[in-house]
């Protein structure tokens, strides 16, 4: 993408309404525009990151054997009357009437609708296990929408729902989600810690939230700091292997890690003092096992191998897709701007032409741009007629992990400069070597 033809409305001043760094940088980098309290347009740069995060979520869900579909944002109230949640959900639910005076709502979550789909089409254990998910906009009329996309009213969620014949299988689905979430967050450059939590309006008594530690987080958390060192890494997971998946979950949930909702001071005090930490975290996901809460209320039954009819066992699992942008920025920035992890960056690399209009510099930049494109890498080429300082400031603000700087002086010696946004370190290399290095870095993406 050539910056001269792109739409990147960066702001020079700090927007007064932004209280936390991620909100400030998302506005300044021209990623989002607020349209109403807690409701945002996603401008091209923000939209690229959002799509990238969605892609990682899809890949890891599909790897775990889960099946994508798409349900609507608007739902009929009658489904929610069946489960009893229409009245229970309270003021967070946006209620709408259509022209026939029918009660509708903008979905805050989809347990009822997925249960309705299930009961219409499945009635035998032979069709289980089944996990369906979608990535769709949700609406919750939050009392205090704030911090930009972090607590929106309209927000993008991945929500998945498992259907199993018995409790053991449903608990395996719960574990499978936990492991697939760990991998998902790691690919985004995040450490998200599963913590025992409370289930709120979704229900059930088995639930974990995934928290990214950050000063600006809305949840108070209590943990053994050894938990922050655990990594899934590139280990091979067989998602059908119940024991292996359960062992990974055990590894990640044995050390003390709880939100204030489930915190138990007496148990916490058994953690060696040097490891006992109290902090704040951003909730980027939550998984639930609630058994037959919805299937019983809505008549979603299956015939077992033995020929008896039982309500299907269920759980639901959510990732805050749009919130993740804020969480990643909170975890990865400096005073100049965002530092995107390679997994989610909107562009893999930026090209800065120090002297637009100089024949050699222009030709070298074009050459780099095309060579990267030939390797499937869409660089952001700053081809504007701007001062070098302004170009660097923009690149630093929008946070691409790598920058190639091209100027007449370097080119006279056959080199360009390759700079890491994270470390600030630069190397002089030939244009060909720069392309190879970038291609190598993104080879696994
Ligand atoms: C699980 C999926 C559920 O709704 N039903 C379907 C279950 N869980 S949840 O914890 O309430 O939400 C899942 C994740 O969505 C994000 N989230 C939000 N993101 C931005 N703005 C909001 N107002 C908001 N509310 C929830 C969180 O990341 C949460 O973990």
């Amino acid at each position: 993408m050539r910056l001269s033809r792109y739409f990147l409305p960066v702001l020079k001043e700090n927007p007064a309404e932004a209280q936390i760094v991620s909100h400030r940088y998302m506005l300044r980098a021209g990623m989002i525009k607020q349209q109403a309290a807690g409701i945002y347009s996603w401008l091209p740069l923000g939209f690229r990151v959002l799509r990238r995060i969605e892609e990682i979520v899809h890949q890891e869900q599909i790897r775990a054997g889960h099946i994508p579909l798409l349900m609507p944002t608007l739902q009929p109230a009658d489904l929610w009357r069946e489960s009893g949640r229409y009245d229970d959900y309270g003021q967070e639910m946006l209620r709408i009437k259509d022209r026939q005076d029918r009660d509708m709502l903008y979905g805050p979550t989809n347990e009822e609708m997925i249960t309705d789909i299930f009961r219409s089409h499945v009635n035998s254990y032979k069709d289980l296990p089944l996990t369906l998910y979608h990535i769709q906009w949700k609406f919750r009329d939050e009392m205090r929408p704030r911090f930009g996309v972090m607590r929106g009213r309209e927000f993008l969620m991945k929500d998945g729902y498992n259907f199993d014949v018995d409790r053991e299988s449903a608990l395996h689905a719960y574990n499978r989600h936990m492991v697939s979430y760990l991998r998902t967050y790691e690919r985004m450059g995040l450490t998200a810690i599963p913590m025992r939590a409370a289930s709120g309006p979704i229900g059930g008594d088995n639930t974990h939230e995934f928290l990214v530690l950050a000063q600006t987080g809305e949840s108070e958390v209590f943990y053994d700091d050894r938990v922050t060192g655990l990594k899934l890494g590139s280990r091979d997971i067989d998602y059908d292997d119940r024991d292996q998946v359960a062992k990974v979950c055990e590894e990640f949930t044995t050390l003390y890690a709880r939100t204030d909702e489930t915190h138990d001071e007496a148990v916490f005090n058994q953690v060696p003092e040097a490891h006992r930490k109290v902090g704040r975290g951003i909730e980027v996901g939550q998984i639930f096992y609630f058994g037959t809460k919805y299937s019983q209320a809505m008549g979603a039954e299956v015939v077992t191998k033995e020929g008896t009819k039982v309500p299907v066992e269920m759980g639901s699992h959510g990732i805050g897709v749009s919130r993740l942008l804020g969480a990643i920025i909170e975890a990865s920035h400096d005073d100049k701007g965002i530092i995107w992890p390679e997994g989610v960056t909107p562009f893999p690399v930026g090209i800065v032409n120090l002297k637009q209009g100089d024949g050699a510099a222009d030709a070298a930049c074009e050459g780099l741009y095309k060579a990267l494109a030939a390797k499937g890498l869409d660089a952001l080429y700053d081809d504007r007629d701007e001062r070098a300082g302004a170009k660097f400031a923009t690149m630093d603000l929008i946070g691409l992990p790598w920058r190639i700087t091209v100027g007449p002086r370097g080119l006279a010696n056959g080199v360009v400069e390759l700079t890491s946004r994270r470390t600030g370190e630069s190397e002089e290399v030939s244009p060909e070597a720069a392309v190879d290095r970038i291609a190598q870095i993104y080879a696994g993406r």
Side-chain angles (χ1 to χ4, degrees):
M1 178 53 64
R2 292 165 204 276
L3 193 45
S4 63
R5 299 184 197 168
Y6 199 44
F7 181 62
L8 185 71
V10 298
L11 307 177
K12 291 224 165 54
E13 304 300 324
N14 269 331
E17 73 265 32
Q19 297 162 24
I20 61 170
V21 71
S22 56
H23 189 196
R24 195 152 60 231
Y25 283 155
M26 286 184 80
L27 291 170
R28 281 196 50 208
M31 297 175 68
I32 50 169
K33 177 178 177 353
Q34 182 174 306
Q35 306 290 173
I39 301 179
Y40 292 86
S41 287
W42 292 80
L43 304 182
L45 191 75
F47 187 53
R48 279 185 84 107
V49 183
L50 191 68
R51 282 281 176 262
R52 186 64 206 140
I53 290 175
E54 279 186 70
E55 207 174 298
I56 293 175
V57 170
H58 274 302
Q59 286 171 0
E60 293 307 326
Q61 286 305 298
I62 289 166
R63 198 199 299 275
H66 306 159
I67 304 167
L69 48 50
L70 186 61
M71 291 175 271
T73 52
L74 294 186
Q75 306 188 16
D78 282 345
L79 278 180
W80 288 66
R81 292 200 174 98
E82 283 189 56
S83 71
R85 280 208 297 181
Y86 189 61
D87 293 326
D88 289 356
Y89 219 91
Q91 292 210 301
E92 266 191 24
M93 180 184 276
L94 179 63
R95 293 156 210 259
I96 305 163
K97 273 198 194 291
D98 70 9
R99 66 200 295 166
Q100 322 288 358
D101 214 31
R102 278 186 292 246
D103 290 326
M104 308 285 291
L105 57 100
Y106 192 133
T109 175
N110 283 57
E111 279 80 6
E112 286 78 357
M113 188 168 277
I114 201 81
T115 306
D116 179 54
I117 292 173
F118 182 89
R119 72 181 170 185
S120 307
H121 299 288
V122 184
N123 49 33
S124 163
Y125 76 95
K126 289 182 191 151
D127 296 320
L128 305 181
L130 180 65
T131 296
L132 301 168
Y133 78 92
H134 70 164
I135 299 181
Q136 178 61 293
W137 294 94
K138 303 285 184 287
F139 196 95
R140 292 182 185 175
D141 204 350
E142 301 274 353
M143 180 112 89
R144 290 214 302 156
R146 58 182 187 154
F147 301 160
V149 300
M150 210 72 108
R151 180 163 295 279
R153 290 198 297 164
E154 189 186 45
F155 61 96
L156 192 59
M157 190 200 287
K158 170 262 154 181
D159 41 322
Y161 306 86
N162 68 286
F163 300 93
D164 286 275
V165 72
D166 54 31
R167 185 183 150 84
E168 285 65 45
S169 312
L171 288 174
H172 171 56
Y174 184 89
N175 290 345
R176 204 173 58 227
H177 279 87
M178 182 177 290
V179 177
S180 72
Y181 279 22
L182 290 170
R183 173 150 285 164
T184 303
Y185 299 124
E186 278 188 20
R187 281 188 63 190
M188 296 176 189
L190 287 175
T191 302
I193 304 165
M195 299 202 182
R196 272 179 57 181
S199 66
I202 307 294
D205 45 21
N206 209 349
T207 180
H208 280 87
E209 285 181 2
F210 290 78
L211 286 115
V212 172
L213 296 177
Q215 288 298 322
T216 48
E218 292 191 284
S219 319
E220 190 174 23
V221 294
F222 303 80
Y223 60 100
D224 179 327
D225 69 357
R226 287 171 289 187
V227 79
T228 61
L230 299 175
K231 289 276 174 299
L232 196 61
S234 57
R235 64 180 104 167
D236 227 1
I237 305 283
D238 174 356
Y239 282 104
D240 289 329
D241 183 338
R242 292 187 181 196
D243 293 339
Q244 187 199 19
V245 169
K247 271 212 187 77
V248 176
C249 292
E250 198 183 301
E251 178 186 335
F252 280 82
T253 56
T254 301
L255 289 168
Y256 192 93
R258 297 192 192 182
T259 65
D260 51 0
E261 294 160 339
T262 56
H263 176 57
D264 182 332
E265 198 66 27
V267 185
F268 189 47
N269 283 337
Q270 289 164 20
V271 175
E273 202 178 342
H275 293 294
R276 227 181 287 154
K277 293 277 156 34
V278 182
R280 304 200 69 81
I282 302 166
E283 180 204 328
V284 291
Q286 187 164 4
I287 55 177
F288 302 82
Y289 163 69
F290 44 68
T292 59
K293 171 174 170 173
Y294 299 90
S295 56
Q296 209 149 28
M298 296 180 66
E301 294 180 326
V302 283
V303 177
T304 65
K305 211 173 193 165
E306 293 72 36
T308 49
K309 257 191 174 179
V310 295
V312 71
E313 285 274 330
M314 292 174 63
S316 72
H317 319 276
I319 292 180
V321 173
S322 49
R323 175 178 287 182
L324 271 165
L325 276 94
I328 294 168
I329 297 172
E330 290 297 325
S332 184
H333 67 268
D334 62 14
D335 55 6
K336 294 191 203 130
I338 303 164
I339 306 174
W340 291 116
E342 271 106 2
V344 299
T345 184
F347 296 94
V349 56
I351 302 172
V352 169
N353 188 343
L354 291 178
K355 202 158 184 203
Q356 205 68 42
D358 174 277
D362 290 1
C365 288
E366 286 295 327
L368 282 166
Y369 185 67
K370 290 193 174 128
L372 287 161
K375 293 189 185 279
L377 296 164
D378 187 10
L380 182 66
Y381 170 23
D382 191 345
D383 60 343
R384 297 169 307 159
D385 194 9
E386 285 273 356
R387 288 178 303 107
K391 291 189 175 187
F392 288 146
T394 300
M395 282 294 172
D396 284 344
L397 175 64
I398 68 173
L400 310 185
W402 297 94
R403 187 184 77 207
I404 304 175
T405 310
V406 180
R409 210 175 313 151
L411 287 176
N413 298 320
V415 295
V416 295
E417 199 181 54
L418 180 63
T419 308
S420 156
R421 173 71 181 85
R422 189 168 295 280
T423 65
E425 282 164 21
S426 291
E427 277 182 76
E428 293 196 327
V429 293
S430 70
E432 298 73 33
V435 171
D436 287 346
R437 277 284 301 284
I438 298 294
Q440 216 171 35
I441 289 163
Y442 289 98
R445 184 169 132 157

